[in-house]
Amino acid sequence: MPIKRKPNLSATIALLPTWFVAVVVFIGTMAWSIRLSFTNSTLFPSSTYVGFAQYSKLFSSAKWLASLQNVLIFGVLYVAGCLLLGFLLAAALDRKIRFESAFRTIFLYPYAMSFVVTGLIWQWMLNPTLGIQASVRSLGWESFVLDWVVNRDMAIYALVLAGVWQGAGLVMVIALAGMRGIEGEQWKAARIDGIPVWRIYVSIVLPQLGPALAAAGMLLAMGVIKTYDIVVAMTNGGPGNATEVPAKFIMDNLFGRQNLGLATAGATVLVLGVIIAVAPFRYAMHMRDRAKGAA
Amino acid sequence: MAGRHPNGPKPAQITAGRIGLYAFLVVAALFFLLPLYTMVVTSLKSMDEIRLGQIFALPARLDLSAWTTAWSGACMGTVCVGIRSGFWNSVAITLPAVALSVFTGAVNGYALSLWRPRGANLLFGLLMAGGLIPYQIFLYPMVRAMANIDLYNSLAGIILVHVIFGLPLVTLLFRNYFVSVPEELCKAARVDGAGFWRIFFEIMLPIAVPMVVVVSMLQFTGIWNDFLLGLVFAGRDNLPMTVQLNNIVNTTMGERTYNVNMAATILTAIVPLAIYFLSGRWFVRGIAAGAVKG
């Protein structure tokens, strides 16, 4: 039974700045932005209410639609790529490998670096005139093509490549920690039954890593919606609209094009997107906790 | 011979499977190392050598001039002072922002988990929701509000912004840490007459040192690597290194000086990399703590 306590004054006062941030900064500014999205604000905020006009303008903008499509492609491939590569690396390192900590260090170091740095490194590697393409061609393979950053159809995959390079180590660390927590008894039993190692990883280890991998996936997915730096550093949205993303669209209209109404409408859509993505997950957790409480 | 170890791990036999495993790991390691290698060799080459298009070749002659240019002479637009100023800006932003946010996070976590004043759960829920929502929705009103209190484009302003946006994560980590501290410890101290702050400074903060280290590292790398907030809130005189780096690389007129760009890139990455290499175990712990419970 929870103990009834007297509300403690010091504790309440200590939390006041945080209350201020939560209510005024988070909720207040969000409400302000949402309000602006229903006005015809351009450079300065206006109070002329225009209903959903900014939203219809937004969804008739080719650039916005392209950016939604791009972030979807990038997000799915980036999260899936990180999860897959990270899991494979963890499983390999879990096999009593020599130099394990050296390998672990190598796989994780990109995660310590910023997206700007990551974007610039890969821009350099994928530069068609001086990068990998030129190097391979000079070895004699004249028709070799790796021009992703300047190729309209491939630029988004260049971002995925750089993103996976940066983020796979995170999944590896989380998965490896999870694997080390699995009891040796299960391994022994499975080995006695003669189940091949890969099968043990797929059927016994993977399901137990579910929650940890889901958390890692969530973390990566939250980053996807915020994707901005890596695009600015690597392709700046180009070629054409090939790598435009919503976060960049919003920033451009907010500070570059002075199109407040449109930018805040875009931001509101992003927030709705997050709520729609997170709500079922939170609801499932809530129901699970309730079920646990009832049992 | 140093003697036998009958209890040591059984040496793995060399099988096709083991060879495949090592092959996979080595190929993966090459993939992860290649960009770093390329950056380093490019930064040590002259532009003449770079134009040959041999991105993986070792430099014929070590040329350190790109490094000095990157540090003190590279141009951002029309200003050519190198990335040096950005480095010191990043230091000036990151250190106070980390100290402040870790302290606030520790107090929050302690108050929320061990005191649970009225509305604690609501506050925690609001913070977590705030942490999930994309920054873009907060930016414009925050710019206006910061301008109104004369903090926009100032060092204090960008520090405050980092503390604010760091609150959800640091609070979450400290709250989860303090939840596992036995409540009796707190109760016993209260019976002895210690108040909220005394218990915090004399009992809880010392207990939480491992978490303080972890959170500091997470916040340090996070704030050092930030681009968006620095771009929007720091102002021209306080731009962090990441923003200056992008300006150097992506707005130079004429021929791109790839060697300078790569040296500047390494300089920008070197602080978080040093943290990672010097305290890998803590770094990993921080990621695991931040990720699994997030």
Side-chain angles (χ1 to χ4, degrees), chain B residues 192-216:
Chain B
D192 288 346
F196 179 85
W197 290 109
R198 208 164 147 212
I199 299 175
F200 176 71
F201 281 111
E202 290 182 15
I203 303 173
M204 294 306 163
L205 204 53
I207 290 179
V209 166
M211 203 64 207
V212 169
V213 175
V214 164
V215 175
S216 301

